[in-house]
PDB file of all heavy atoms in Angstrom:
ATOM      1  N   MET Z1204      -0.239 -10.635 -23.566  1.00  0.00           N
ATOM      2  CA  MET Z1204      -0.903 -10.589 -22.242  1.00  0.00           C
ATOM      3  C   MET Z1204      -1.560 -11.913 -22.007  1.00  0.00           C
ATOM      4  O   MET Z1204      -1.666 -12.291 -20.833  1.00  0.00           O
ATOM      5  CB  MET Z1204      -1.899  -9.428 -22.204  1.00  0.00           C
ATOM      6  CG  MET Z1204      -2.518  -9.257 -20.905  1.00  0.00           C
ATOM      7  SD  MET Z1204      -3.383  -7.716 -20.822  1.00  0.00           S
ATOM      8  CE  MET Z1204      -4.363  -7.984 -19.364  1.00  0.00           C
ATOM      9  N   SER Z1224      -6.888  -6.762  -2.456  1.00  0.00           N
ATOM     10  CA  SER Z1224      -7.933  -6.518  -1.513  1.00  0.00           C
ATOM     11  C   SER Z1224      -7.497  -5.609  -0.366  1.00  0.00           C
ATOM     12  O   SER Z1224      -8.130  -4.647   0.004  1.00  0.00           O
ATOM     13  CB  SER Z1224      -8.454  -7.832  -1.006  1.00  0.00           C
ATOM     14  OG  SER Z1224      -9.492  -7.656  -0.062  1.00  0.00           O
ATOM     15  N   GLN Z1231      -9.125   3.076   0.179  1.00  0.00           N
ATOM     16  CA  GLN Z1231     -10.396   3.651   0.465  1.00  0.00           C
ATOM     17  C   GLN Z1231     -10.376   4.364   1.812  1.00  0.00           C
ATOM     18  O   GLN Z1231     -11.009   5.486   1.918  1.00  0.00           O
ATOM     19  CB  GLN Z1231     -11.503   2.583   0.417  1.00  0.00           C
ATOM     20  CG  GLN Z1231     -11.815   2.098  -0.948  1.00  0.00           C
ATOM     21  CD  GLN Z1231     -12.800   0.956  -0.944  1.00  0.00           C
ATOM     22  OE1 GLN Z1231     -13.276   0.490   0.104  1.00  0.00           O
ATOM     23  NE2 GLN Z1231     -13.172   0.477  -2.118  1.00  0.00           N
ATOM     24  N   LYS Z1239     -12.222  13.930   4.686  1.00  0.00           N
ATOM     25  CA  LYS Z1239     -12.518  14.534   6.035  1.00  0.00           C
ATOM     26  C   LYS Z1239     -11.600  15.777   6.253  1.00  0.00           C
ATOM     27  O   LYS Z1239     -12.105  16.827   6.703  1.00  0.00           O
ATOM     28  CB  LYS Z1239     -12.360  13.544   7.180  1.00  0.00           C
ATOM     29  CG  LYS Z1239     -13.364  12.433   7.179  1.00  0.00           C
ATOM     30  CD  LYS Z1239     -13.021  11.450   8.300  1.00  0.00           C
ATOM     31  CE  LYS Z1239     -13.912  10.262   8.257  1.00  0.00           C
ATOM     32  NZ  LYS Z1239     -13.522   9.243   9.229  1.00  0.00           N
ATOM     33  N   SER Z1255     -12.758  37.333   9.710  1.00  0.00           N
ATOM     34  CA  SER Z1255     -11.819  38.369   9.355  1.00  0.00           C
ATOM     35  C   SER Z1255     -12.649  39.550   8.682  1.00  0.00           C
ATOM     36  O   SER Z1255     -12.375  40.716   9.028  1.00  0.00           O
ATOM     37  CB  SER Z1255     -10.847  37.865   8.314  1.00  0.00           C
ATOM     38  OG  SER Z1255      -9.944  36.963   8.892  1.00  0.00           O
ATOM     39  N   GLU Z1270     -10.127  52.434  19.828  1.00  0.00           N
ATOM     40  CA  GLU Z1270     -11.250  51.454  19.643  1.00  0.00           C
ATOM     41  C   GLU Z1270     -10.878  50.440  18.572  1.00  0.00           C
ATOM     42  O   GLU Z1270     -11.205  49.199  18.696  1.00  0.00           O
ATOM     43  CB  GLU Z1270     -12.504  52.224  19.338  1.00  0.00           C
ATOM     44  CG  GLU Z1270     -13.753  51.352  19.243  1.00  0.00           C
ATOM     45  CD  GLU Z1270     -15.075  52.102  18.883  1.00  0.00           C
ATOM     46  OE1 GLU Z1270     -15.063  53.289  18.774  1.00  0.00           O
ATOM     47  OE2 GLU Z1270     -15.984  51.425  18.753  1.00  0.00           O
ATOM     48  N   ILE Z1274     -10.663  46.400  19.137  1.00  0.00           N
ATOM     49  CA  ILE Z1274     -11.528  45.454  18.335  1.00  0.00           C
ATOM     50  C   ILE Z1274     -10.567  44.410  17.718  1.00  0.00           C
ATOM     51  O   ILE Z1274     -10.858  43.210  17.787  1.00  0.00           O
ATOM     52  CB  ILE Z1274     -12.303  46.224  17.291  1.00  0.00           C
ATOM     53  CG1 ILE Z1274     -13.410  47.074  17.929  1.00  0.00           C
ATOM     54  CG2 ILE Z1274     -12.930  45.227  16.279  1.00  0.00           C
ATOM     55  CD1 ILE Z1274     -14.110  47.990  17.014  1.00  0.00           C
ATOM     56  N   ALA Z1275      -9.464  44.894  17.144  1.00  0.00           N
ATOM     57  CA  ALA Z1275      -8.546  43.991  16.516  1.00  0.00           C
ATOM     58  C   ALA Z1275      -7.951  42.970  17.535  1.00  0.00           C
ATOM     59  O   ALA Z1275      -7.777  41.804  17.274  1.00  0.00           O
ATOM     60  CB  ALA Z1275      -7.420  44.732  15.787  1.00  0.00           C
ATOM     61  N   SER Z1277      -9.351  42.017  20.274  1.00  0.00           N
ATOM     62  CA  SER Z1277     -10.389  41.035  20.763  1.00  0.00           C
ATOM     63  C   SER Z1277     -10.610  39.921  19.778  1.00  0.00           C
ATOM     64  O   SER Z1277     -11.181  38.897  20.170  1.00  0.00           O
ATOM     65  CB  SER Z1277     -11.706  41.846  21.022  1.00  0.00           C
ATOM     66  OG  SER Z1277     -12.262  42.268  19.815  1.00  0.00           O
ATOM     67  N   LEU Z1304      -6.830   1.755   9.879  1.00  0.00           N
ATOM     68  CA  LEU Z1304      -5.801   1.010   9.143  1.00  0.00           C
ATOM     69  C   LEU Z1304      -5.325  -0.213   9.894  1.00  0.00           C
ATOM     70  O   LEU Z1304      -5.028  -1.249   9.296  1.00  0.00           O
ATOM     71  CB  LEU Z1304      -4.703   1.945   8.766  1.00  0.00           C
ATOM     72  CG  LEU Z1304      -4.924   3.051   7.759  1.00  0.00           C
ATOM     73  CD1 LEU Z1304      -3.765   4.025   7.641  1.00  0.00           C
ATOM     74  CD2 LEU Z1304      -5.268   2.418   6.460  1.00  0.00           C
ATOM     75  N   VAL Z1312      -3.957  -9.052   6.721  1.00  0.00           N
ATOM     76  CA  VAL Z1312      -2.569  -9.592   6.790  1.00  0.00           C
ATOM     77  C   VAL Z1312      -2.576 -11.081   6.917  1.00  0.00           C
ATOM     78  O   VAL Z1312      -1.782 -11.809   6.265  1.00  0.00           O
ATOM     79  CB  VAL Z1312      -1.738  -8.905   7.859  1.00  0.00           C
ATOM     80  CG1 VAL Z1312      -0.514  -9.616   8.188  1.00  0.00           C
ATOM     81  CG2 VAL Z1312      -1.457  -7.411   7.395  1.00  0.00           C
ATOM     82  N   ALA Z1323       5.279 -19.219  -1.814  1.00  0.00           N
ATOM     83  CA  ALA Z1323       6.619 -19.574  -1.571  1.00  0.00           C
ATOM     84  C   ALA Z1323       6.838 -21.079  -1.591  1.00  0.00           C
ATOM     85  O   ALA Z1323       7.864 -21.496  -2.194  1.00  0.00           O
ATOM     86  CB  ALA Z1323       7.093 -19.058  -0.130  1.00  0.00           C
ATOM     87  N   GLU Z1324       5.881 -21.846  -1.155  1.00  0.00           N
ATOM     88  CA  GLU Z1324       6.044 -23.248  -1.242  1.00  0.00           C
ATOM     89  C   GLU Z1324       5.966 -23.789  -2.682  1.00  0.00           C
ATOM     90  O   GLU Z1324       6.722 -24.582  -3.105  1.00  0.00           O
ATOM     91  CB  GLU Z1324       4.835 -23.922  -0.487  1.00  0.00           C
ATOM     92  CG  GLU Z1324       5.027 -23.834   1.038  1.00  0.00           C
ATOM     93  CD  GLU Z1324       3.751 -24.339   1.787  1.00  0.00           C
ATOM     94  OE1 GLU Z1324       2.898 -24.961   1.192  1.00  0.00           O
ATOM     95  OE2 GLU Z1324       3.683 -24.095   2.977  1.00  0.00           O
ATOM     96  N   ALA Z1327       9.303 -22.876  -4.341  1.00  0.00           N
ATOM     97  CA  ALA Z1327      10.289 -23.780  -3.868  1.00  0.00           C
ATOM     98  C   ALA Z1327      10.128 -25.161  -4.565  1.00  0.00           C
ATOM     99  O   ALA Z1327      11.136 -25.805  -4.949  1.00  0.00           O
ATOM    100  CB  ALA Z1327      10.248 -23.987  -2.353  1.00  0.00           C
ATOM    101  N   ARG Z1342      23.568 -34.666 -16.541  1.00  0.00           N
ATOM    102  CA  ARG Z1342      23.989 -36.077 -16.501  1.00  0.00           C
ATOM    103  C   ARG Z1342      23.968 -36.702 -17.891  1.00  0.00           C
ATOM    104  O   ARG Z1342      24.859 -37.350 -18.359  1.00  0.00           O
ATOM    105  CB  ARG Z1342      23.196 -36.868 -15.524  1.00  0.00           C
ATOM    106  CG  ARG Z1342      23.543 -36.635 -14.077  1.00  0.00           C
ATOM    107  CD  ARG Z1342      22.704 -37.534 -13.163  1.00  0.00           C
ATOM    108  NE  ARG Z1342      22.903 -37.108 -11.787  1.00  0.00           N
ATOM    109  CZ  ARG Z1342      22.030 -37.252 -10.831  1.00  0.00           C
ATOM    110  NH1 ARG Z1342      20.876 -37.789 -11.115  1.00  0.00           N
ATOM    111  NH2 ARG Z1342      22.309 -36.918  -9.663  1.00  0.00           N
TER     112      ARG Z1342
END
Side-chain angles (χ1 to χ4, degrees):
M1204 183 169 167
S1224 176
Q1231 287 176 358
K1239 290 176 189 175
S1255 293
E1270 186 180 356
I1274 292 170
S1277 70
L1304 289 174
V1312 167
E1324 288 173 11
R1342 285 182 187 150

